[in-house]
Amino acid sequence: MATRNIVKRGEDVLAKKCRDVTNFDDRLWTLLDDMYETMKAANGVGLAGPQVGILRRVVVIDVGDENGKIELINPVVTMMKGKQHELEGCLSVPGLWGYVERPAKVRVKAQNRYGKEFEIEGEELLAIALCHEIDHLNGILFVDKADQLLTQEQLEERK
Ligand code: NI
């Protein structure tokens, strides 16, 4: 495993729509392992393909709950319920946070690293992470949706 460079806002790759993964091979597994290591090293809770420069529908998430590491290949949201409005950040947008409206609960259908289909449901932070990371696969950043953006300084002033 190795950490990869995290692409920052302003680079084209973050604004593009990703293609489906079709090969569930060692190349994919290495990518997933590297993405997880990269996310952990940066203290993140989610990372999507474009954030390491790969325009494929691949996501890793770990919000520190009982699900542990979640790997999502070709994820699709199949159910959304309720609303929440919470502060979000992104490893590709360092130093900026924003309030984004998200569903309170989501269900996502995806494939695992071997191509097997599964479903996962999330609420609270996991629902946010699922939506935020799937947005990345469609070239959307949280700053595109946030109704209020805050710098580190502004965030600290609020505490
Ligand atoms: Ni992000």
Side-chain angles (χ1 to χ4, degrees):
M1 290 205 283
T3 57
R4 302 198 185 191
N5 285 330
I6 297 178
V7 175
K8 301 298 190 304
R9 180 160 76 131
E11 295 205 40
D12 287 352
V13 73
L14 290 177
K16 291 190 173 153
K17 198 167 152 75
C18 296
R19 289 186 293 158
D20 277 342
V21 170
T22 49
N23 295 323
F24 295 81
D25 56 10
D26 334 11
R27 222 171 143 201
L28 174 67
W29 303 335
T30 302
L31 172 64
L32 286 163
D33 291 344
D34 287 357
M35 284 173 64
Y36 189 74
E37 192 175 327
T38 303
M39 178 189 84
K40 281 290 180 185
N43 295 313
V45 298
L47 199 68
Q51 295 184 276
V52 291
I54 306 289
L55 283 169
R56 290 285 179 176
R57 306 190 79 80
V58 177
V59 161
V60 295
I61 289 173
D62 189 341
V63 296
D65 66 1
E66 68 283 359
N67 289 292
K69 174 168 71 174
I70 300 168
E71 296 178 342
L72 303 165
I73 319 298
N74 304 326
V76 178
V77 175
T78 57
M79 186 275 290
M80 291 192 269
K81 207 174 160 187
K83 277 179 194 171
Q84 57 177 326
H85 190 249
E86 295 292 338
L87 201 58
E88 285 181 35
C90 177
L91 294 177
S92 293
V93 191
L96 212 53
W97 285 265
Y99 283 92
V100 185
E101 189 174 290
R102 301 286 190 187
K105 187 175 182 179
V106 289
R107 187 183 302 137
V108 170
K109 184 179 77 176
Q111 286 166 281
N112 70 10
R113 60 163 61 203
Y114 306 106
K116 192 175 184 297
E117 260 193 22
F118 69 100
E119 282 197 314
I120 183 164
E121 272 188 15
E123 294 178 64
E124 298 174 347
L125 180 56
L126 181 55
I128 293 171
L130 288 164
C131 294
H132 177 119
E133 300 311 328
I134 292 173
D135 273 354
H136 272 298
L137 304 181
N138 296 318
I140 299 164
L141 298 179
F142 83 94
V143 290
D144 302 327
K145 292 186 161 180
D147 48 54
Q148 191 187 3
L149 288 171
L150 299 168
T151 62
Q152 178 78 49
E153 205 175 21
Q154 289 169 324
L155 196 65
E156 274 161 21
E157 277 169 11
R158 293 179 147 231
K159 281 176 189 166

